[in-house]
Amino acid sequence: GPASGIERFVFAYVLRGEGAAVIDTGVAGSESAIVETIAASGVAGLERILLTHGHVDHLGSARALKARTGATVAAHPAERHWIEDLDRQARERPVPGFHLLAGGAVVLDQLLADGERLELGPELHLRVLHTPGHSPGSTSFLLEEEGILFTGDAVPVPGDIPVWDDSLESA
């Protein structure tokens, strides 16, 4: 967390279609940088927030972005309990500086399904891929036209210890 000085980062990817979509939102306070990036790109505004999973470092700015832009928020249903109830996540997955990272719980507008295709523009599509392991509802997004895969934390940082959930225990 911010107070502990752990060197970590989370990417927030902005995709420009007819409107903007962002994959993950970083920690609380990241919303201004995301909105400024979108405004500088010339796209009308943020329409969708897609979360790869429900850990607080990936959803920390989702609530503020939704309130500021009216964007819809989407994630896999297995992540809903931690996204919509941060107190539960703090109890079940205590992380140093948790409440500094969290900008508040956010209600999901859309539950994503494996194989679902999201249209972001006439020639801009994301394929939803359920990729559990880091968390039960971890989701990756394949940008079909470019062949680019956005994985969240499904691929660990080289040389680091991966964090995985036991899928049999979670079932």
Side-chain angles (χ1 to χ4, degrees), residues 94-152:
V95 175
F98 182 92
H99 292 290
L100 296 173
L101 301 171
V106 63
V107 174
L108 292 176
D109 301 296
Q110 180 181 3
L111 298 176
L112 300 173
D114 185 47
E116 185 175 352
R117 188 174 194 232
L118 306 175
E119 184 173 337
L120 304 180
E123 295 182 27
L124 188 63
H125 302 90
L126 287 176
R127 180 73 59 186
V128 176
L129 303 171
H130 182 215
T131 52
H134 182 66
S135 71
S138 283
T139 304
S140 297
F141 299 97
L142 176 63
L143 185 58
E144 292 183 338
E145 289 79 7
E146 303 293 331
I148 297 171
L149 184 66
F150 300 92
T151 63

Side-chain angles (χ1 to χ4, degrees), residues 9-21:
F9 59 91
V10 172
F11 288 108
Y13 298 97
V14 175
L15 305 176
R16 298 177 302 154
E18 291 177 343

Side-chain angles (χ1 to χ4, degrees), residues 32-102:
S32 292
I34 292 169
V35 169
E36 289 167 14
T37 298
I38 292 167
S41 75
V43 176
L46 181 61
E47 293 181 356
R48 291 184 191 196
I49 299 166
L50 305 170
L51 300 174
T52 59
H53 61 292
H55 292 165
V56 70
D57 55 331
H58 291 259
L59 69 86
S61 291
R63 180 180 179 160
L65 279 169
K66 182 177 183 175
R68 191 166 169 176
T69 66
T72 60
V73 181
H76 190 275
E79 300 296 299
R80 182 178 218 162
H81 64 285
W82 275 2
I83 294 169
E84 294 184 350
D85 186 352
L86 287 183
D87 290 333
R88 177 178 175 179
Q89 183 176 165
R91 285 189 313 273
E92 294 178 0
R93 186 177 184 265
V95 175
F98 182 92
H99 292 290
L100 296 173
L101 301 171

